[in-house]
Amino acid sequence: MKFPAVFRNILLSLALILSASVALADAYEAKLPDELTTSPKMCDYVACAEVLPGATSFSERKGQPPYVEGYIEENGQKRKIGYVMLSTDITDTPAYSGKPVVTLIGMDTAGRFTGVKVLKHSEPILLLGIPESALIGFNQQYLGKFVGDNIEIGQSRPEENIIGLDAISGATVTVIAQNQVMMTSGTNVARQVGILKPTVREPAKFVETGVKPDWATLVDEGSVQRLVVTPEQVGLPRSGKPFIDLWFGYLNQPDVGRAVLGDGPWRSLMSRLKEGEHALFVIRTGGVESFKGSGFVRGGIYDRVQVRQGADSFTFRDLDAVNLYGLEAAGAPTFNESSIFIIRSKAFSAAYPWKFVFLGNRVDRATGTRSFVNFDSEYWLPETYLEGGRPEIVKPDAPWVRVWKTRAVEIGLFAALLVTVGILYGFRDRLTRRASRNNKWPVNIFKYSAWLISIGFVGFGLLAQPSITQVLTWFHALLFQWTWELFLTDPFIFLFWIFIIVTVFLWGRGLFCGWLCPFGSLSELLYKIGSVVGLKRFQFQLSRKWHDRLKWVKYGVFFGLLAVSFLSMGLAEKLAEIEPFKTTFLVGMFNRSWPYTLFAAGLLGLSIFIERPFCKYLCPLGASLAMPSTFRWFGLDRKQECSSCKACAVGCGAQAIDANGRIDHRECLHCLDCMVLYTDCQACPPLSQERKRRTKAGLPLTPIGADGYYIPIKPMSTDNAQAA
């Protein structure tokens, strides 16, 4: 069968998929008005009434973080019925794509969610995999729920007062991020408007020693903290200078306050503070961005900085700022912007940890759009300055920690699988020596078991199919903004990639691609089944000529996707549908439109007749792993005669052995068939010849050494023989 005839249907299906991607989900990379994030009249640019039913008019943006009030007309009077908030005004929690899901949220005056609308997202799985309606359905679960409830992804646990939400299968990271967005946005506004009461914290009682630490000591003990934002974190070109470099600290503690301000200025400041008020200083020592904000006006809010303690946020107006003219601490740095901010709330306590937050604008390099992003640094007054030391606090688990805890059993089993396969492959020499060309079961029993487990448990069960989209996402995260929490939220993919990275540099890509990739395992299994059920006579390999040409296609696909991702990550994610992984495992063939199903089914159908056609010729993930395989630490053994002997090459399904007998570890899938022949004295031509020679000469057959040859027979000298 010629190449064009073999691949015609597959290429046609791929073309249909790419053309079908024109019909995008409504909110995917939607173009939103620039005024939506800047205009006081937010509801002039978005349909606020859709998330707050019944409202006929809306206020301008209020508060910090901002929200709008919704009103209904009754007897000629306006009555407030709720609030509407834009999620990116409050939190920049990234979803799987590394970008936030821009969400419009409605809440009534009792604190119950009334509506949720996704305005924009960049999630690839919601573009060409799971329908966007699934996210809409997920968001509907919030309607009627109280903002102060403990709402988590997963099963409800009434004994712990936790309300569970059904996740979207295959989009776990996205829905966990969306839950953070909903609850963070809702609670921030609910606390501002009085629906949720501020947390009551025991006020701090200070220990006064009379010592005046210098600046270096204040920094070392944690009384002064630093917050640095780099240009690349806000979407600007990388440079050697920070975007902004801030130092801050708490001033009410006598030793710290006197050390920073000096005795006189500190006493003057404290005399102006009322009971329950707190002062902190902020200075800028580097960067060109102002922490006060260029748009500040008298009577307004400082919209660049705030303090957060637990779920409470504390913002500053013009009357909450006091001029800071100098620092008295020895060794203090020079600065070009400064201020003292006053927290006027009894909910704040210096005995507990808090965060200083800088709010900046990040530019999306692909689209040019701007979004708010938060940068924070934690501060906790050293226990030596607190009477009785720091109080015991129990911090709530991060979302990714909760995921790991709730799926601990599955994670343990998956980790055990990875470790077991790694150990088994590490002892491959022992396995292959027990096997022979006619009996490969000492190797195949483990390899076939790995295939079945990877298909059933890993692929269809855990939905843990690594993908080129993860490579692109991580590559961009390394260049622009790395967020550990984003990748830890999917524990199986996270562990899988640790395994992949380690084993690629140990042995090459073949252990993952050949033993544990769910789609690769399914493809190989179909080929084996085809040979068993009588289709062996129809199975074939492409000629060496065509193989050597087509094996480079996957590298072209990978570099093409990588290049496109720098122009448009969204387009790269669409083109990544050349991987049939979503259709096969994450979404299901019968849950997608027919071009996707035809493409995936065509590849799997072709796998019955050609061994792993997608893996060898099209897989961009395989290409991305093949290149570092060049630098593996260990390879498969070869003999001198392998350069002329073709025995192993004939049986190599991956066609990774070239005309000179060399194994191309970038293409090798570690089936180990060649290593079985390597020590098989019946099948390996050099060993077979030596066996026949020794048998004819009546010489003993010694064990086969590590070099793949019989251990040489060394005759004993006469003196040694007599001594014996």
Side-chain angles (χ1 to χ4, degrees), residues 405-598:
K405 286 183 176 180
T406 56
R407 308 196 70 176
V409 174
E410 294 164 289
I411 292 170
L413 292 173
F414 182 64
L417 169 66
L418 300 180
V419 171
T420 300
V421 170
I423 292 174
L424 284 171
Y425 189 80
F427 288 98
R428 63 191 179 280
D429 288 343
R430 297 187 182 184
L431 298 178
T432 56
R433 284 174 179 272
R434 294 177 182 177
S436 65
R437 180 179 60 180
N438 297 323
N439 179 23
K440 298 178 182 177
W441 279 105
V443 173
N444 288 347
I445 187 64
F446 298 109
K447 186 169 59 176
Y448 292 176
S449 297
W451 290 353
L452 293 173
I453 294 172
S454 70
I455 297 168
F457 175 61
V458 179
F460 289 110
L462 303 179
L463 308 179
Q465 169 67 66
S467 167
I468 191 61
T469 58
Q470 294 149 11
V471 176
L472 298 178
T473 299
W474 294 354
F475 192 89
H476 280 253
L478 285 171
L479 290 178
F480 304 124
Q481 185 181 14
W482 179 267
T483 307
W484 276 107
E485 292 79 3
L486 173 63
F487 305 112
L488 286 166
T489 307
D490 193 329
F492 306 107
I493 292 297
F494 182 78
L495 290 176
F496 221 155
W497 273 103
I498 292 177
F499 173 85
I500 291 169
I501 292 169
V502 171
T503 57
V504 161
F505 284 101
L506 280 176
W507 301 301
R509 74 173 179 116
L511 185 56
F512 163 70
C513 294
W515 288 55
L516 284 175
C517 174
F519 188 84
S521 299
L522 179 59
S523 178
E524 180 86 1
L525 185 63
L526 289 173
Y527 183 79
K528 297 297 184 185
I529 292 174
S531 65
V532 171
V533 300
L535 298 177
K536 190 174 183 64
R537 64 183 181 276
F538 300 110
Q539 293 178 334
F540 65 97
Q541 286 185 340
L542 295 185
S543 67
R544 171 58 64 175
K545 173 184 174 182
W546 273 111
H547 171 79
D548 287 343
R549 291 176 178 177
L550 293 177
K551 72 180 182 181
W552 298 106
V553 172
K554 60 180 176 288
Y555 297 96
V557 173
F558 167 69
F559 282 112
L561 290 173
L562 184 62
V564 170
S565 71
F566 284 101
L567 300 175
S568 170
M569 191 65 179
L571 178 58
E573 289 161 350
K574 286 180 278 183
L575 295 175
E577 274 296 316
I578 195 170
E579 292 180 325
F581 305 155
K582 294 191 193 83
T583 303
T584 306
F585 297 109
L586 301 184
V587 183
M589 289 197 180
F590 301 106
N591 296 324
R592 303 199 71 181
S593 56
W594 68 267
Y596 302 98
T597 301
L598 178 61

Side-chain angles (χ1 to χ4, degrees), residues 18 85 161 201 323 428 457 476 484 514 641 644:
L18 296 179
M85 62 212 81
N161 294 320
R201 300 179 179 89
N323 290 330
R428 63 191 179 280
F457 175 61
H476 280 253
W484 276 107
E641 292 84 353
S644 58

